[in-house]
């Protein structure tokens, strides 16, 4: 641990020198010891988990408010449906208690065509009113039923959110304990803590902003990918009711660099079922690695899941990856390419992405 402390001193001095000159957290500094790197990763994960707990707490508050609003709304609907139920009940009772016979007798006893038409018109008006009462009751009942279904879903969501909140709190407690133990045995806890504070401040003030800029650029570029596929010969090959889409590393790099200049510092590679994006612009280095998955709901799509995210040599936790997935859509939608087609399979190997497509289901 003493060696880790000495290395941390050197890293911190480099950081402080760079901070005075306005430079960013060093990317090309000497490689730090593995113990120091793991400690910084854990410290960053603690900060990111804390941010996730804040997000979940906000979601819990929002869900609780939705439940309260729904319960008040359902109480009002129950009053409304009680009135409609009484009206509908009167209609049904009138039919079962001989009201139909009354109108049948009135029709049979009409002495002239005008009398017959008058009775018929009154029957029509009353039947229309009765039907309206029945329709109102049915409509209110459906609203009430839908409201209770939404309430049950909200309560189920709240249970899941509370469970996630407990899990993340337990996780951050365990991780913070590991950080504290590592600091206590380091021999220079104050210096390492300073290094962690500087690194966390850099991530919160610069890092997350830069990472989101890259994800936003990727998401915007993916919207234009169908046009690139259609204009590039050989990418899409059709055969009857089937089609195959094949994009190589070189084609993807060409496309993305044409969309945004920041991708000039990035390299994209397909292989072993993964898409790896790696870039270094001299100030920051980012590695994004993930896989594609086909989904059919709410629509057929090839969605991208981030399995690994490394920023300036430090791997970020799963909560950060999921947060970026929620905010930025890096998916591909086949029906924006050709109507009525669906993706059936997707694979990444030997420097290319292959998607099998078929018309209809």
């Amino acid at each position: 641990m003493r060696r880790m402390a000495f290395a941390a001193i050197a890293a911190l001095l480099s950081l402080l020198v760079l901070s005075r000159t306005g430079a960013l957290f060093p990317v090309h500094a000497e490689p730090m010891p593995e113990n120091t790197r793991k400690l910084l990763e854990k410290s960053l994960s603690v900060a990111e988990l804390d941010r996730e707990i804040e997000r979940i707490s906000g979601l819990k508050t929002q869900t609780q408010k939705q439940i309260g609003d729904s319960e008040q709304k359902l109480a009002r609907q129950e009053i409304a449906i009680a009135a409609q139920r009484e009206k509908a009940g009167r209609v049904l009772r009138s039919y079962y208690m001989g009201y139909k016979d009354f109108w049948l007798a009135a029709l049979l006893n009409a002495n002239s065509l005008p009398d017959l038409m008058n009775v018929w018109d009154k029957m029509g008006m009353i039947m229309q009113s009765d039907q309206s009462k029945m329709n109102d009751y049915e409509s209110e009942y459906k609203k009430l039923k839908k409201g209770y279904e939404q309430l049950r879903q909200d309560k189920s969501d709240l249970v899941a959110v509370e469970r996630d909140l407990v899990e993340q709190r337990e996780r951050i407690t365990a991780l913070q304990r590991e950080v504290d133990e590592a600091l206590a045995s380091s021999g220079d806890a104050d210096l390492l803590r300073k290094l962690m504070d500087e690194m966390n401040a850099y991530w919160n003030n610069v890092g997350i902003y830069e990472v989101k800029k890259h994800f936003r650029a990727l998401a915007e570029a993916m919207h234009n990918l169908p046009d690139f596929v259609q204009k590039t010969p050989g990418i899409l090959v059709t055969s009857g009711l089937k089609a195959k889409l094949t994009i190589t590393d070189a084609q993807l790099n060409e496309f993305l660099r044409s969309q945004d200049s920041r991708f000039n510092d990035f390299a994209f590679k397909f292989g072993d079922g993964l898409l790896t994006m790696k870039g270094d612009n001299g100030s920051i280095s980012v590695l994004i690695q993930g896989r594609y998955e086909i989904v059919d709901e709410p629509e057929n799509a090839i969605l991208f899941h981030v399995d690994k995210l490394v920023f300036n040599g430090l791997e970020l936790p799963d909560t950060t990856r999921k947060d970026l997935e929620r905010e930025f859509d890096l998916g591909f939608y086949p029906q924006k390419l050709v109507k009525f087609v669906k993706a059936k399979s997707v694979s990444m190997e030997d420097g290319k992405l292959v998607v099998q497509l078929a018309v209809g289901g």
Side-chain angles (χ1 to χ4, degrees):
M1 295 303 292
R2 179 65 60 180
R3 289 179 61 191
M4 183 178 79
F6 286 142
I9 293 172
L12 181 57
L13 289 175
S14 298
L15 174 62
L16 294 177
V17 170
L18 287 168
S19 65
R20 290 194 186 97
T21 60
L24 300 176
F25 192 89
V27 176
H28 302 294
E30 289 297 320
M32 66 182 71
E34 183 65 12
N35 288 339
T36 304
R37 187 188 65 78
K38 286 183 177 180
L39 180 61
L40 292 177
E41 279 187 349
K42 288 177 181 178
S43 175
L44 186 56
S45 293
V46 167
E48 284 296 279
L49 285 173
D50 192 50
R51 190 164 65 90
E52 175 68 1
I53 287 172
E54 184 178 351
R55 184 192 72 83
I56 296 173
S57 297
L59 185 60
K60 178 182 176 181
T61 301
Q62 179 184 345
T63 306
Q64 287 174 325
K65 184 179 184 303
Q66 288 175 346
I67 289 173
D69 293 344
S70 295
E71 288 175 338
Q72 292 179 10
K73 185 177 179 181
L74 288 172
R76 292 192 296 268
Q77 285 182 336
E78 285 177 344
I79 295 172
I81 201 172
Q84 296 298 338
R85 185 187 297 114
E86 176 58 29
K87 292 178 182 179
R90 285 200 299 268
V91 171
L92 293 174
R93 286 194 297 272
S94 69
Y95 277 92
Y96 282 103
M97 294 176 67
Y99 203 47
K100 292 186 297 182
D101 295 338
F102 170 80
W103 286 110
L104 181 60
L107 286 171
L108 294 175
N109 292 328
N111 296 320
S112 64
L113 182 59
D115 288 342
L116 181 63
M117 295 302 296
N118 186 39
V119 173
W120 186 263
D121 288 341
K122 289 179 179 179
M123 280 182 63
M125 291 173 61
I126 292 174
M127 291 177 68
Q128 186 175 9
S129 176
D130 291 344
Q131 185 62 50
S132 177
K133 291 183 178 68
M134 296 295 289
N135 290 341
D136 288 343
Y137 171 72
E138 183 182 13
S139 176
E140 290 296 330
Y141 178 77
K142 286 180 178 179
K143 286 181 183 177
L144 188 67
K145 185 178 179 182
K146 184 177 180 180
Y148 275 115
E149 289 173 353
Q150 184 60 52
L151 181 61
R152 281 195 295 271
Q153 182 61 51
D154 287 343
K155 288 184 176 180
S156 176
D157 290 344
L158 182 59
V159 170
V161 166
E162 289 177 333
R163 183 171 58 248
D164 194 14
L165 191 57
V166 170
E167 290 176 357
Q168 297 301 343
R169 281 175 174 163
E170 291 176 348
R171 185 178 173 189
I172 197 173
T173 299
L175 199 56
Q176 185 63 60
R177 188 183 304 114
E178 291 180 16
V179 171
D180 292 341
E181 290 173 355
L183 287 172
S185 61
S186 68
D188 208 330
D190 291 340
L191 186 62
L192 286 173
R193 190 174 285 110
K194 176 68 174 176
L195 180 60
M196 290 188 299
D197 289 343
E198 292 284 353
M199 184 272 298
N200 285 334
Y202 174 71
W203 166 252
N204 289 324
N205 294 326
V206 178
I208 187 64
Y209 173 74
E210 290 293 331
V211 168
K212 284 190 175 185
K213 278 204 308 186
H214 283 78
F215 269 82
R216 185 175 293 108
L218 277 171
E220 291 173 355
M222 291 305 293
H223 287 301
N224 299 325
L225 185 58
D227 290 338
F228 176 78
V229 170
Q230 290 175 332
K231 293 176 182 177
T232 306
I235 291 184
L236 184 64
V237 178
T238 59
S239 176
L241 297 179
K242 295 182 180 180
K244 184 169 77 169
L245 185 152
T246 305
I247 300 179
T248 65
D249 292 342
Q251 289 170 327
L252 181 62
N253 281 285
E254 175 192 350
F255 163 69
L256 290 173
R257 289 165 185 168
S258 71
Q259 297 294 303
D260 196 302
S261 60
R262 64 168 49 89
F263 294 130
N264 291 335
D265 300 316
F266 262 72
F268 296 78
K269 182 179 180 182
F270 296 117
D272 298 325
L274 296 170
L275 169 60
T276 301
M277 299 168 270
K278 190 174 182 180
D280 185 337
N281 65 7
S283 297
I284 66 167
S285 67
V286 178
L287 183 144
I288 305 167
Q289 195 171 65
R291 58 197 157 74
Y292 283 105
E293 176 191 22
I294 295 175
V295 299
D296 289 317
E297 296 296 336
E299 61 180 309
N300 182 253
I302 306 169
L303 300 184
F304 185 74
H305 297 292
V306 183
D307 292 331
K308 188 173 185 178
L309 174 61
V310 181
F311 175 78
N312 282 7
L314 302 178
E315 185 169 355
L316 291 154
D318 59 317
T319 53
T320 307
R321 302 196 308 264
K322 290 176 182 177
D323 194 35
L324 291 168
E325 282 185 23
R326 280 189 295 267
E327 187 172 353
F328 302 105
D329 182 7
L330 304 185
F332 179 72
Y333 298 84
Q335 292 191 7
K336 292 182 178 179
L337 179 63
V338 180
K339 285 185 179 294
F340 310 117
V341 303
K342 285 188 175 183
K344 292 300 181 180
S345 69
V346 58
S347 61
M348 288 169 285
E349 55 187 29
D350 299 328
K352 58 188 176 183
L353 168 74
V354 179
V355 180
Q356 299 291 345
L357 305 165
V359 176

